[in-house]
Amino acid sequence: MEKTKKKGLLVVSFGTSVHKTREKTIDAIEQALQEAFGEFTCYRAWTSKFIIRKLRERDQIQIDTVTEAMERMFKDGVTDVLVQPTHVLNGIENEQMIAEVSACQGWFRSVCIGTPLLAGEEDVADVAEAVAEEFSWLPQEEALVLMGHGTSHEANEIYAALDHCLKRMGHDNMFLGTVEASPSLLNLMERVQAYGAKKVTLAPFMVVAGDHALHDLSGEGADSWKSQLEDSGYQVRCVLKGLGEYPKIRRLYVKHAEGALRIC
């Protein structure tokens, strides 16, 4: 007799140690996916072992790694798995996740893996639209500076593609850079100066408004983007809202999961 089919939905995030932003972002994305795939049992995994360890030691909260979550689903009798990452791009973390999932693939009847937020040209246009919609209140004479994470992986090119897309859509006052790669804040400041803006709105281009947003973006330290812009004479406003808080972004993750099921 064929084994009864039991579906599992694994939502994989980098993770965050800031509970307030997790509730508004990762939790909200998981909820949107659970609502879209009601017949699936929902599971969570994070890829940052540092954050997993921090939560375990600081808050006594246990979060599964990808392998642990796959083992949990197998023990729970799940036969068919849908994996949806909340990663922004297909960089090091996402590739590592795929490798870990693939190593466990033989335990299940089927394993489908969705793509991260920015996986192709259509995604770039959709995300640019979501950002422009979120900041539609911004006056044209003011600049929006978005802080992405950045990576040494070749996928980092997607940040420049998104910046170009915003410009093609007519949002010449919107600029996207990264905290750990390129374009850097120095690159962006040159562009903001050329644009002629006196006021700058800073916002994270990250799923969560976590440590990078609280310290590297809006912190009072001399090296934060806020401090550097203020030192250069700009009036700065910080909007600490992660991408996971944008309804349109959450819908895109659902769309990617649906696409994974169609082609799996």
Side-chain angles (χ1 to χ4, degrees), residues 104-121:
C104 306
Q105 197 156 357
W107 303 348
F108 306 95
R109 178 159 46 190
S110 69
V111 176
C112 309
I113 306 176
T115 55
L117 184 63
L118 291 168
E121 287 183 23

Side-chain angles (χ1 to χ4, degrees), residues 10 45 64-75 81 83 100-105 107-108 111:
L10 176 59
D64 284 342
T65 64
V66 173
T67 300
E68 288 169 345
M70 296 294 281
E71 289 171 348
R72 189 180 298 278
M73 286 190 287
F74 178 68
K75 289 174 183 174
V81 177
V83 180
E100 289 185 51
V101 169
S102 299
C104 306
Q105 197 156 357
W107 303 348
F108 306 95
V111 176

Side-chain angles (χ1 to χ4, degrees), residues 117-118 120-133 162 165 169 248-249 252 255-256:
L117 184 63
L118 291 168
E121 287 183 23
E122 186 179 339
D123 295 333
V124 169
D126 287 341
V127 173
E129 197 174 282
V131 168
E133 189 176 290
L162 182 59
C165 186
M169 291 168 63
K248 202 161 197 170
I249 296 293
L252 285 174
K255 180 182 173 183
H256 286 202

Side-chain angles (χ1 to χ4, degrees), residues 135-150:
F135 290 94
S136 59
W137 52 266
L138 191 74
Q140 190 67 31
E141 66 272 14
E142 295 185 25
L144 172 67
V145 172
L146 296 161
M147 175 195 273
H149 188 277

Side-chain angles (χ1 to χ4, degrees), residues 41-252:
T41 302
C42 197
Y43 295 81
R44 165 187 285 175
W46 288 1
T47 56
S48 172
K49 292 181 173 58
F50 170 77
I51 293 175
I52 289 174
R53 185 171 64 252
K54 184 175 180 178
L55 286 191
R56 184 175 63 242
E57 294 172 354
R58 187 190 70 185
D59 306 319
Q60 291 73 55
I61 293 173
Q62 179 61 46
I63 306 288
D64 284 342
T65 64
V66 173
T67 300
E68 288 169 345
M70 296 294 281
E71 289 171 348
R72 189 180 298 278
M73 286 190 287
F74 178 68
K75 289 174 183 174
D76 287 349
V78 170
T79 58
D80 297 85
V81 177
L82 171 60
V83 180
Q84 179 55 50
T86 69
H87 299 143
V88 172
L89 42 78
N90 188 28
I92 297 165
E93 294 288 327
N94 205 66
E95 288 184 346
Q96 184 179 334
M97 177 212 73
I98 292 170
E100 289 185 51
V101 169
S102 299
C104 306
Q105 197 156 357
W107 303 348
F108 306 95
R109 178 159 46 190
S110 69
V111 176
C112 309
I113 306 176
T115 55
L117 184 63
L118 291 168
E121 287 183 23
E122 186 179 339
D123 295 333
V124 169
D126 287 341
V127 173
E129 197 174 282
V131 168
E133 189 176 290
E134 191 66 33
F135 290 94
S136 59
W137 52 266
L138 191 74
Q140 190 67 31
E141 66 272 14
E142 295 185 25
L144 172 67
V145 172
L146 296 161
M147 175 195 273
H149 188 277
T151 175
S152 57
H153 192 280
E154 61 184 13
N156 194 76
E157 295 171 358
I158 205 90
Y159 290 110
L162 182 59
D163 186 274
H164 292 323
C165 186
L166 284 165
K167 302 298 187 295
R168 284 201 308 272
M169 291 168 63
H171 305 294
D172 295 335
N173 62 330
M174 296 186 179
F175 306 87
L176 174 60
T178 70
V179 67
E180 293 191 2
S182 62
S184 66
L185 176 61
L186 186 60
N187 298 142
L188 297 191
M189 285 172 69
E190 290 171 355
R191 297 176 196 174
V192 170
Q193 185 179 18
Y195 182 74
K198 302 298 181 191
K199 295 181 180 179
V200 173
T201 291
L202 275 176
F205 184 78
M206 302 175 189
V207 172
V208 303
D211 283 336
H212 280 302
L214 295 173
H215 302 293
D216 300 308
L217 182 83
S218 63
E220 295 304 320
D223 291 338
S224 76
W225 284 24
K226 173 177 176 282
S227 295
Q228 291 183 66
L229 283 161
E230 286 177 341
D231 288 347
S232 297
Y234 295 99
Q235 281 183 254
V236 181
R237 174 203 294 119
C238 295
V239 178
L240 300 185
K241 192 172 184 179
L243 293 174
E245 295 182 60
Y246 300 14
K248 202 161 197 170
I249 296 293
R250 295 197 294 270
R251 288 197 294 272
L252 285 174

